[in-house]
Amino acid sequence: MKTTLYRPIGLKELQLIIDLDFKAFPSRLEWQPIFYPVLNQEYAEQIAEKWNTKDEFSGYCGIVTKFDLPTDYLKKYEIHNVGGFIHNELWVPSDDLREFNSNIMGQIEIVKVFIGESFNYLDKNNATSLIKKWSNEKQ
């Protein structure tokens, strides 16, 4: 059996995922002790739309990704509720991310994109080009 997880990201993380051929998430930064995928798309959309679109580090863009892992593998991680009923996350220690990535089944997919007012459509990088193309295809 497999479980689908979601991860709200910004442009910089998308570029790193592109560099990893959509097969893994990048290593955490030294000040990020956990990687926290969320358990439902609605919660991921809330984060992407309300936080990432207003965040300079995210490139004023919120991207919801989804990916699958074996359900049995995920049992080792406790589910944390961080707010309302839908606000459930898995807390994966940064040191486990390499193993976590090796358990991703298939590729990481983009399922929704939110563009903030300060998003720079003129940036010349793969992530911005992909977001522009993805947005045009979905209209």
Side-chain angles (χ1 to χ4, degrees):
M1 270 179 64
K2 66 181 179 179
T3 297
T4 300
L5 298 174
Y6 300 86
R7 171 95 177 138
I9 62 171
L11 277 179
K12 290 180 181 180
E13 190 167 358
L14 176 60
Q15 183 59 57
L16 295 171
I17 291 168
I18 291 169
D19 294 344
L20 295 166
D21 296 323
F22 290 90
K23 294 179 181 174
F25 289 94
S27 299
R28 308 314 299 147
L29 300 173
E30 63 186 44
W31 51 269
Q32 297 172 313
I34 60 170
F35 172 77
Y36 58 94
V38 303
L39 276 61
N40 64 75
Q41 186 171 336
E42 184 179 1
Y43 178 33
E45 287 180 12
Q46 284 181 353
I47 296 169
E49 183 176 25
K50 293 181 179 172
W51 296 349
N52 296 90
T53 59
K54 295 168 181 63
D55 178 45
E56 181 179 0
F57 187 77
S58 295
Y60 303 104
C61 182
I63 303 148
V64 177
T65 61
K66 79 173 186 173
F67 53 100
D68 298 322
L69 281 97
T71 301
D72 283 345
Y73 171 76
L74 293 174
K75 288 179 183 176
K76 70 193 267 181
Y77 299 108
E78 188 176 333
I79 296 172
H80 293 263
N81 181 277
V82 295
F85 179 74
I86 66 164
H87 299 145
N88 294 319
E89 307 173 344
L90 288 182
W91 288 5
V92 178
S94 294
D95 292 344
D96 289 4
L97 189 54
R98 179 174 282 179
E99 177 187 312
F100 183 92
N101 281 333
S102 72
N103 278 279
I104 293 175
M105 304 164 73
Q107 291 192 302
I108 298 165
E109 300 174 44
I110 297 172
V111 293
K112 191 106 181 208
V113 172
F114 298 93
I115 305 294
E117 290 179 18
S118 298
F119 179 75
N120 185 355
Y121 283 94
L122 301 177
D123 277 353
K124 303 284 187 219
N125 60 50
N126 292 338
T128 301
S129 297
L130 181 61
I131 292 306
K132 287 190 283 191
K133 180 181 178 210
W134 195 93
S135 296
N136 289 335
E137 289 174 359
K138 299 300 177 191
Q139 291 179 358

